[in-house]
Each structure stands twice: as C-alpha cells, then as structure tokens.
Amino acid sequence: MSDFLAGGTIVQVSTSAPSTFDAAGYGAVGGLSTIGEIDEIQGDIGRLYNLLTRYPLAGAGRPRKRKGNYNDGNISLPIAVDYSDAGQNAIRTAVASMTEVTLKIILPTSTIIYCQGLVLGAPVNLGGTESFVMTNVSIEIVTSSTGVGIVVV
C-alpha cells in the first residue's frame, strides 16, 4: 500500500514505562487506555535535526553545513472533552506529572508507532453556544537515555 488516510487511527496512553525501548518492551506495557474523541493528530512525529551552518572567510561564500542537535517531535491532539473517558483522564493526570507517558498510535494499516512523551498541557476551550467543549493536548516526544525516540512496528 503506497498511501492511506488517517481515519481509523487509534491513540492509546499508559503511565507505565517500557522495560526496554524496542518493540518487545513497548509491547509489554500494560494499562493502556484509548483516548476517545480525538479529532486529528497534529504535529510531526520523528527525528528532525537542527541545521548548523557556517561561512568560512576563505570559502568564497560556500556554506559548510552539519547536523546539530535533534528533536523527536511533538503532537497536538484536539479532543472533544469527555470526563468519563479513561484515556482523557490519564492525559489530564499526566499534565500534573513530570513523568513521561507511553503512547501507542495504531494506524489503519495496523502499523504501530510507540514513543514516550511529556504531556505539557490540556487546556479546555468552552467556546460559544454552537461549539463543542474541546481540549487541545500538547505532547512533546522524548528520547530515551539510550537515544531511542520513535519505535515503529
């Protein structure tokens, strides 16, 4: 399959960390709850390096480029608020914690993306008379101490 739509994607969250940052470790994580009522997954998942550029005086304007530090991405989840949803409640709890959560993103192709993330916020937007009460969850993907960010299975 060369392309597919995001419809049908499921996002699950757990406050448990994997024992190892690979498919086996993530696959053994318990306590996963599906986050309900997600409208879309915004942001970029995956490693992106900073570009370092310098212009040596003797280089006739030819830049020297190197990779710098990297970030494994961030996601934003616009969600219709449901205070009885276990996944949403886990996210709200994680906002007050400095500990990473485990995310399991199941694509319609059955491909699974695992990662750890810090939940930075989940502010509620009440809107107007014809608005759904929404929250916009902000998650920064973190890299393990062994340098693993995203695991795709």
Side-chain angles (χ1 to χ4, degrees):
M1 176 182 284
S2 61
D3 59 8
F4 57 94
L5 299 176
T9 298
I10 296 168
V11 180
Q12 297 179 325
V13 63
S14 175
T15 56
S16 299
S19 57
T20 57
F21 294 94
D22 55 18
Y26 274 114
V29 170
L32 287 161
S33 298
T34 298
I35 304 170
E37 303 300 327
I38 297 174
D39 280 358
E40 63 182 303
I41 301 171
Q42 301 169 342
D44 297 316
I45 300 173
R47 190 159 290 177
L48 179 64
Y49 287 85
N50 292 329
L51 175 63
L52 305 178
T53 306
R54 63 184 274 275
Y55 297 88
L57 290 176
R62 187 176 68 84
R64 299 294 185 342
K65 297 182 180 185
R66 300 289 183 267
K67 286 182 176 180
N69 294 324
Y70 61 83
N71 189 320
D72 280 318
N74 60 69
I75 57 175
S76 181
L77 306 173
I79 301 172
V81 173
D82 179 354
Y83 289 107
S84 66
D85 183 89
Q88 288 189 30
N89 289 334
I91 288 292
R92 279 188 279 279
T93 300
V95 170
S97 173
M98 297 302 282
T99 305
E100 294 97 6
V101 296
T102 296
L103 295 173
K104 179 180 182 180
I105 303 169
I106 307 165
L107 302 178
T109 60
S110 299
T111 299
I112 298 173
I113 300 170
Y114 290 109
C115 60
Q116 294 289 106
L118 282 172
V119 181
L120 302 182
V124 174
N125 181 342
L126 299 175
T129 58
E130 290 190 347
S131 299
F132 291 98
V133 176
M134 300 292 290
T135 184
N136 193 31
V137 176
S138 178
I139 301 172
E140 278 291 325
I141 298 169
V142 298
T143 306
S144 74
S145 61
T146 59
V148 178
I150 308 296
V151 174
V152 179
V153 180

